[in-house]
Amino acid sequence: MSDAAQPTAAEVRAAAEAVKAALDRHLDAVERRSGEDDPAVYAAFNELAATAEAYDELLYDVYDEVTPFEIPGDDTLPAYAGPEEPNALSVLIRRDYAVIEPQRLLAQAQRVADLDPDADTDTGGAPGSSAGVVGSSVHAALGVLFGEYEPDEIASRHKEFGLEEGDSTLWVAAADAPAEPGDWLGAPFDQADPQRVICRFDVSAVFDEEPDLDDDGLDDALDDGLDDDDSLDPLDDDGLDVDGLDDDDSPRGRRPARGR
């Protein structure tokens, strides 16, 4: 940023005054809210977040200082605008994976193809050709595995298939009426309307909570509960604790959320 474009102290002061005003409007909206999903509270919340973020940026640019506030991103859903008593639902699911062990993926798909040589690889090839290609094509292997197993089984066994979980989300959205067979198959996600979402459930590593560690590197809560003669659960030779939970099997952060 050039010197001419640098914000001034007066702009910082004005931004601070905007935060104060936004705080008053937010509190007023909360005190007057008509229900849990009051759109006035939702709007005041977003205004307060925006003004606080602007103040934080100006404060840093001019004084090289920051506020102690964490400004949340606007990842909430808009106010619900669907029917009060929906008689039809659409469940929208997205799960991301990374292929981290291609050879394991190829081997698992090859096993399926060997048992069913006519399995569809979704490669455009003729039936009967899958057994010869899935062992060398990640594209074909994915087609075989996702054609053979249900998505929930893929999710629960992803490590067996050489996959690593990424973020996932599930939206339950209201519909006016059940769709006719084949209506949306050509564009299944085009009609996803955030204002029709009744509830959603997100899973992401960003929701994992890091424990507070003391000087010895132990979780404070755990350290407080241990006597001098106490010890942690022993590990076997494979690094498993006595409960059989591998270090890599710890649950990822899960955040249930719903639109205002």
Side-chain angles (χ1 to χ4, degrees):
M1 182 179 295
S2 66
D3 291 341
Q6 283 286 344
T8 65
E11 289 178 286
V12 180
R13 174 61 60 180
E17 294 300 325
V19 173
K20 296 175 188 178
L23 274 169
D24 287 338
R25 285 191 290 271
H26 181 260
L27 179 57
D28 184 64
V30 170
E31 291 174 337
R32 297 171 179 270
R33 66 182 176 189
S34 58
E36 182 181 353
D37 298 328
D38 191 326
V41 176
Y42 180 79
F45 173 89
N46 285 337
E47 181 188 2
L48 177 57
T51 55
E53 184 174 12
Y55 169 65
D56 189 83
E57 291 178 356
L58 287 169
L59 188 70
Y60 182 79
D61 288 342
V62 175
Y63 297 110
D64 199 25
E65 285 289 345
V66 296
T67 66
F69 312 120
E70 180 180 354
I71 308 302
D74 186 16
D75 60 351
T76 58
L77 292 171
Y80 178 71
E84 288 297 324
E85 298 183 4
N87 54 18
L89 299 173
S90 290
V91 179
L92 310 173
I93 300 175
R94 171 172 173 168
R95 294 187 177 115
D96 285 359
Y97 298 96
V99 179
I100 58 172
E101 294 184 80
Q103 293 306 315
R104 181 183 291 272
L105 173 72
L106 296 172
Q108 290 282 17
Q110 188 65 62
R111 291 175 56 190
V112 173
D114 288 342
L115 293 173
D116 182 10
D118 293 331
D120 184 11
T121 64
D122 194 27
T123 60
S129 63
S130 62
V133 299
V134 297
S136 59
S137 167
V138 170
H139 182 279
L142 289 170
V144 167
L145 290 177
F146 279 87
E148 178 71 15
Y149 301 105
E150 293 292 330
D152 286 345
E153 187 168 5
I154 295 284
S156 64
R157 299 175 57 187
H158 62 277
K159 290 185 179 180
E160 295 179 38
F161 304 133
L163 304 176
E164 181 179 71
E165 285 182 305
D167 288 356
S168 67
T169 188
L170 181 150
W171 291 16
V172 179
D176 292 324
E180 293 295 327
D183 268 0
W184 49 258
L185 291 180
F189 304 111
D190 282 0
Q191 297 179 4
D193 183 355
Q195 291 188 299
R196 290 286 184 122
V197 173
I198 298 171
C199 58
R200 62 181 280 184
F201 301 92
D202 300 326
V203 178
S204 174
V206 301
F207 306 135
D208 291 340
E209 294 185 0
E210 294 292 338
D212 293 328
L213 300 180
D214 59 19
D215 293 338
D216 297 328
L218 289 176
D219 184 347
D220 289 337
L222 177 62
D223 196 16
D224 291 342
L226 291 178
D227 297 326
D228 293 338
D229 295 334
D230 289 336
S231 61
L232 300 177
D233 291 337
L235 302 179
D236 61 20
D237 294 338
D238 297 327
L240 295 175
D241 64 24
V242 293
D243 295 325
L245 180 64
D246 197 341
D247 292 340
D248 294 335
D249 290 333
S250 57
R252 298 183 303 139
R254 186 172 189 270
R255 181 190 67 176
R258 57 193 297 271
R260 284 188 176 274

